[in-house]
């Protein structure tokens, strides 16, 4: 039980798992990645995650070094070797190493890294009481580079946003773009609820096509909850009855305080609770 790493198909212990300092993932964040979790020891949406990984890689012209079906086998193998009750899995593809310089043609060959660790799930209190968040004004790097929707290794914006969140005692930062619209969280998608209608940014805003977001949208359809696909302005979001975020590791968490101000009733709202129950029930089927 514990953390295991696989680099290029070889299993390593965490203390011997090393990558060259010339690897462009290290030098430039020139890599793509996925974060996956297990439920009951089974990988959640593995194929969707690996397809998104391949699509992120395509967008930045990195070729995934082995077919994703084989990558899936490697993930399953490492998961079995780690033998945790529940695991957190990270899959990284970097453009690889080579002579120094920005030119991607300098990269010799792409490298694949898989990390499996015991899952640290959010405490139950976060689901019961909700969490606090701050807002962070910026542009997503993927959007700026014209590769919106790609899950790139360069997460510096989210790192800085989380620094601000932590300093304010908050657990997430919502990214507000140059137009004053709320697009997503530092590592989550965002939903607002107003008068029973959900509002969530559409994919063309450059957000990540969140797998949890997609599952929640499916539940909205089943439950007959109307959804408006648009990025709300920060002013509109602040006055929503409910706000929640979605991500693979955290599932769904209600934001009950935003920038120090109460959201709605100050407790996780009825739409959030209904959708969380539906989302969790859908995991059983
Ligand atoms: C920027 C960003 N948006 C959204 C998400 C949520 O995506 P998913 O539900 O596929 O985990 C993440 C997850 O890490 C993320 O980093």
């Amino acid at each position: 039980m514990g953390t295991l790493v696989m680099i290029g198909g070889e299993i390593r212990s965490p203390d011997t798992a090393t990558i060259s300092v010339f690897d462009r993932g290290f030098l430039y964040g020139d890599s793509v990645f996925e974060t996956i979790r297990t439920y009951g020891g089974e990988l959640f949406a593995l194929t969707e995650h690996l397809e998104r990984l391949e699509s992120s890689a395509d967008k930045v012209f990195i070729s995934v070094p082995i077919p994703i079906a084989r990558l899936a086998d490697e993930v399953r193998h490492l998961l079995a070797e780690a033998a945790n009750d529940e695991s957190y899995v990270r899959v990284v593809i970097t453009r690889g190493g080579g002579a120094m310089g920005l030119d991607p043609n300098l990269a010799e060959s792409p490298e694949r890294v898989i990390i499996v660790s015991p899952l640290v799930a959010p405490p139950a209190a976060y689901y019961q009481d909700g969490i606090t968040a701050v807002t962070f004004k910026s542009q997503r790097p993927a959007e700026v580079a014209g590769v919106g929707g790609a899950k790139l290794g360069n997460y510096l914006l989210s790192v800085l946003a989380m620094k601000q969140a932590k300093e304010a005692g908050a657990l997430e930062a919502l990214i507000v773009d140059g137009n004053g619209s709320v697009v997503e969280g530092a590592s989550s998608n965002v939903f607002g609820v107003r008068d029973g209608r959900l509002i969530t940014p559409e994919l063309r805003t450059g957000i990540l096509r969140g797998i949890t977001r997609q599952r929640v949208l499916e539940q909205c359809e089943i439950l007959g909850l109307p959804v408006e696909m648009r990025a709300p302005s920060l002013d509109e979001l602040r006055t929503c009855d409910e706000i929640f975020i979605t991500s693979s590791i955290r599932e769904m968490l209600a934001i009950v305080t935003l920038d120090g101000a109460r959201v709605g009733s100050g407790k996780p709202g009825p739409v959030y609770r209904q959708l969380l129950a539906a989302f969790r029930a859908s995991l059983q089927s």
Side-chain angles (χ1 to χ4, degrees), residues 131-142:
I131 61 164
T132 64
V134 296
T135 54
F136 187 83
K137 286 203 174 63
S138 191
Q139 296 283 346
R140 302 228 57 107

Side-chain angles (χ1 to χ4, degrees), residues 195-199 220 224-228:
D195 300 328
R197 299 180 72 80
L198 287 103
I199 308 163
C220 289
L225 296 170
V227 181
E228 289 174 33

